[in-house]
Amino acid sequence: MGYGAVGAAVAFNLMAADNFDKYKIEEDPNIADQYYTGANKFLTYSLAGVGTAAGIWAATYATSISKNKKAKNIKPDELKNDPRTTVYSAKSDSKMLNTRGLPPNLFAELKFADANGNGILEAGETGELTVKISNQGKGDALNLEVVLKDSISDKNLSVSENQKINRIKPNESLTSKFILTSTKDLQTGKHKFEILVKEAYGFDMDPAYLRLPTYAFQAPQFSVSGYE
């Protein structure tokens, strides 16, 4: 409202100046009087706008100061006993706080085993990747997530879901296992799996990698070697 009053004051002031300029050059006395009267009227409106803006801002300032003093001087008992107030309480979701002084230091050992033991995942074969995670640091590793990412996208090769580990204490080791399942349409390729161990407070393990070749299904070829 204050800025609106200032804007109106500026507009009326311009109108007053315009009427006064016309008054000075008008030769007809009757029309000149009208311009002069208009200049005075618009000047009065302009001053009223300035006064209105000043009054609004002064009242706002005074109200703010008064409320600020009341807020500073209010006592907890007064707020608590005020019948117009209502006390609400709530409980937030629990969060784990990092109160440890020393960080963990994570390492992983990888072991892959397939059905025929040749270290190659063949079409229709199932393999198992074992990730042994050890904490060689001085602090606990908390809320771990073990993630397995494949460098090649092949819908015929599926990997079990990410593994969760609540805690690994210093000098302790825990094992996570991933099942790799292939269909008969598996393609021949050289897969590179990235193993990530993410820790709740950012003490993640450096990535580890497993290179795993895959071999497509080889159809048999029959031939007649002789006859009798």
Side-chain angles (χ1 to χ4, degrees):
M1 292 175 62
Y3 285 116
V6 169
V10 172
F12 284 130
N13 187 66
L14 293 175
M15 295 170 66
D18 181 64
N19 276 264
F20 189 72
D21 290 339
K22 292 179 180 178
Y23 159 75
K24 290 189 295 182
I25 62 175
E26 181 59 49
E27 296 180 355
D28 189 334
N30 293 327
I31 298 177
D33 288 343
Q34 294 178 4
Y35 283 137
Y36 185 78
T37 302
N40 285 328
K41 179 179 65 175
F42 290 130
L43 180 59
T44 301
Y45 292 163
S46 177
L47 295 175
V50 172
T52 300
I56 291 173
W57 284 327
T60 303
Y61 180 76
T63 303
S64 300
I65 293 297
S66 176
K67 290 183 177 180
N68 188 39
K69 288 182 178 180
K70 290 181 179 179
K72 286 184 177 180
N73 297 328
I74 192 171
K75 297 180 180 179
D77 290 337
E78 295 178 2
L79 179 62
K80 194 173 183 179
N81 297 326
D82 191 339
R84 297 172 299 174
T85 62
T86 304
V87 178
Y88 293 95
S89 64
K91 182 179 180 181
S92 62
D93 296 335
S94 60
K95 294 183 179 180
M96 185 170 292
L97 301 178
N98 183 10
T99 58
R100 62 191 176 199
L102 297 172
N105 193 11
L106 302 174
F107 295 86
E109 297 179 17
L110 308 180
K111 181 181 179 182
F112 176 76
D114 58 325
N116 58 13
N118 64 354
I120 300 174
L121 188 66
E122 301 170 2
E125 189 179 29
T126 299
E128 182 180 81
L129 173 62
T130 302
V131 183
K132 182 180 179 181
I133 306 171
S134 60
N135 181 9
Q136 300 180 18
K138 299 297 184 180
D140 292 351
L142 303 173
N143 291 347
L144 303 170
E145 182 180 14
V146 187
V147 181
L148 186 61
K149 293 184 177 180
D150 192 355
S151 61
I152 300 176
S153 177
D154 189 347
K155 64 181 180 180
N156 300 302
L157 175 59
S158 60
V159 182
S160 57
E161 296 181 353
N162 299 342
Q163 305 293 310
K164 305 283 188 179
I165 301 176
N166 291 332
R167 173 181 292 184
I168 302 180
K169 297 179 180 180
N171 300 320
E172 182 182 35
S173 298
L174 293 177
T175 300
S176 293
K177 294 184 178 182
F178 292 89
I179 304 299
L180 286 71
T181 307
S182 64
T183 68
K184 289 188 178 298
D185 296 324
L186 180 69
Q187 301 298 313
T188 299
K190 295 181 179 180
H191 292 251
K192 182 179 179 181
F193 288 95
E194 182 181 23
I195 296 90
L196 302 173
V197 180
K198 300 179 179 180
E199 204 262 350
Y201 297 102
F203 298 105
D204 301 342
M205 186 191 76
D206 292 336
Y209 298 94
L210 172 70
R211 297 185 184 274
L212 178 65
T214 58
Y215 196 53
F217 174 71
Q218 302 299 308
Q221 296 181 357
F222 296 101
S223 63
V224 178
S225 61
Y227 68 92
E228 179 178 346

